[in-house]
Amino acid sequence: MIKLAGIDIGNDSIKLVLDGSREPLVIPNIIAPGYERHMLQEEDSPWKALDVMIYSPSLSQRNQRYFVGQLALEHEDNLELEDTDNKAVSDQSLIVALTALAYQGLTNQAFNTGYGSADEVEYTLGTGLPVRAFAKYSQQFEQRLLGEHEVTFLSTPQLHNRKIKVSIRKVAVSIEGAAAIFHLATHDSLQVKDEEIYNGVIGVCEIGALTTDFPVIKRMAIDNHFSHGEQIGIATYLDAIIRDVEDAYGYVFPSRAKLVQRIKNRNFTIQLLGEGQVDIRPIVDQHFRRAALRMIEMIKKRWRKYPDIQCFYVIGGGASALKPYIQEAAGSLKLRFANESEFLNMYGYLKVAKSRLPQAAPV
């Protein structure tokens, strides 16, 4: 049975949802070199200890072992994507995406088992790329995903030494931000939910980790001339916060993802060497206010160039973090935000796959 899924291969995290499910899987887009672990106590969830060996013809190194996501989060040799990376051709993004697809297949028992062979899960995927990368890299991105890949879980609790073949049969690639608006405008059945969005001229500011995209959508079609992307995202400001905290207090965040967890949980107190504690909220506020001002200036610039835009949506994982700062910086400028902002593209990719590949729906 082919599973239909939407996967947002974000620079900060991979977000995956299966058709018919409202429970997305989120894995930080972070890896570390894998090795035999010295186990004192097994983790209470397989998600916390994704220890995998991956074979894929699309990877430059095959049959390599990696710690993925949460397990790599605090590892001293972990790797996060930088602003020079392109996720369309990134081995790291593919490693985390394949791990997510394999994990979802095993935990949802969505696989076929052959005689003496690995379990197999088959997918039709909807996914996307930033505006600037889409025209140049969408076909290459699609080809890297298509085909058969193999993921073996090693020390992962409950999945010890389980091998699964991930077969990706079809891929629909769309544009980040535009897919999110398609999700907001339609029901799961793809019928129109919001006439204003569906038939209007909508501006989008989609704030990611490493990019901010400004697609303009006119009656659900991308405006080729006015849609634009910037090679800057919230990661620039997270890196600055990490540097300032280290300079001021000697406290080192092992990864951006670790800082993001704290910000999401509104836990701004760090432990100093000894018994002291300090609040880093003023440092976070300073940099996020700078980020918000930058975003507002870019939105105003796009809106001036295309005054026919009826409304501007600010979405994405960065929008969730920056919302109060952007609202403060916007003044009288009215902007729209949406619930579950970081998941909008993922749900949109699923719907785009449904609309473009109806013959690939599960049977």
Side-chain angles (χ1 to χ4, degrees), residues 36-337:
E36 286 299 321
R37 298 168 64 209
H38 180 57
M39 301 282 291
L40 299 176
Q41 181 175 337
E42 191 171 75
E43 291 82 3
D44 59 6
S45 162
W47 178 84
K48 293 180 181 177
L50 296 171
D51 174 12
V52 297
M53 183 89 72
I54 295 188
Y55 173 84
S56 168
S58 298
L59 293 174
S60 57
Q61 290 187 302
R62 300 164 191 177
N63 283 328
Q64 296 291 308
R65 183 173 185 173
Y66 303 97
F67 297 153
V68 173
Q70 198 70 20
L71 189 58
L73 205 63
E74 299 192 51
H75 200 284
E76 60 273 15
D77 295 321
N78 66 34
L79 297 168
E80 292 183 286
L81 294 182
E82 302 301 330
D83 53 12
T84 53
D85 291 314
N86 177 352
K87 65 183 171 188
V89 297
S90 162
D91 276 4
Q92 176 173 325
S93 290
L94 185 58
I95 287 162
V96 184
L98 291 175
T99 301
L101 291 164
Y103 177 81
Q104 195 77 311
L106 283 176
T107 53
N108 282 273
Q109 305 297 301
F111 51 83
N112 306 311
T113 304
Y115 292 104
S117 64
D119 297 325
E120 180 179 11
V121 61
E122 297 179 277
Y123 284 108
T124 286
L125 294 182
T127 188
L129 286 174
V131 169
R132 285 170 68 173
F134 180 83
K136 187 174 181 181
Y137 292 102
S138 60
Q139 287 188 327
Q140 187 176 356
F141 186 45
E142 180 182 339
Q143 290 305 313
R144 279 170 62 79
L145 288 167
L146 284 169
E148 295 184 351
H149 318 268
E150 199 169 81
V151 179
T152 304
F153 293 89
L154 299 170
S155 67
T156 305
Q158 301 169 37
L159 300 176
H160 284 229
N161 299 317
R162 292 288 295 276
K163 183 184 289 188
I164 184 162
K165 184 192 292 183
V166 177
S167 298
I168 301 174
R169 302 303 183 195
K170 290 185 172 66
V171 179
V173 183
S174 51
I175 294 174
E176 290 179 5
I181 294 301
F182 184 55
H183 171 63
L184 291 175
T186 57
H187 293 287
D188 289 344
S189 64
L190 306 184
Q191 297 299 307
V192 177
K193 179 169 68 176
D194 189 315
E195 291 280 356
E196 181 193 26
I197 299 175
Y198 197 88
N199 293 311
V201 182
I202 312 297
V204 182
C205 172
E206 201 271 341
I207 308 170
L210 301 177
T211 57
T212 300
D213 287 295
F214 293 91
V216 175
I217 296 111
K218 187 175 183 179
R219 298 191 189 91
M220 285 297 110
I222 298 287
D223 188 304
N224 287 319
H225 183 68
F226 287 102
S227 295
H228 186 68
E230 296 284 350
Q231 204 64 30
I232 185 171
I234 196 170
T236 300
Y237 301 93
L238 295 172
D239 288 342
I241 292 167
I242 290 169
R243 282 195 304 272
D244 282 4
V245 169
E246 184 177 2
D247 289 347
Y249 305 111
Y251 183 97
V252 181
F253 283 98
S255 61
R256 271 186 232 123
K258 191 70 176 174
L259 172 60
V260 168
Q261 279 188 348
R262 279 181 168 270
I263 292 170
K264 281 182 177 177
N265 295 330
R266 308 197 64 73
N267 175 14
F268 298 102
T269 303
I270 58 170
Q271 184 71 40
L272 301 180
L273 189 63
E275 296 190 11
Q277 292 183 328
V278 70
D279 183 3
I280 64 166
R281 178 69 184 266
I283 295 175
V284 174
D285 285 345
Q286 175 194 341
H287 289 288
F288 276 10
R289 285 195 180 104
R290 281 181 50 230
L293 286 169
R294 180 86 179 267
M295 297 301 163
I296 290 297
E297 285 309 309
M298 290 193 291
I299 289 169
K300 285 179 177 177
K301 181 180 175 183
R302 305 316 307 168
W303 216 333
R304 286 190 197 105
K305 285 194 172 185
Y306 196 167
D308 289 343
I309 291 173
Q310 294 162 237
C311 59
F312 231 105
Y313 275 86
V314 184
I315 59 173
S320 298
L322 295 175
K323 181 179 178 181
Y325 305 91
I326 289 174
Q327 287 175 320
E328 179 187 332
S332 60
L333 186 69
K334 289 188 177 179
L335 300 171
R336 296 190 185 185
F337 295 82

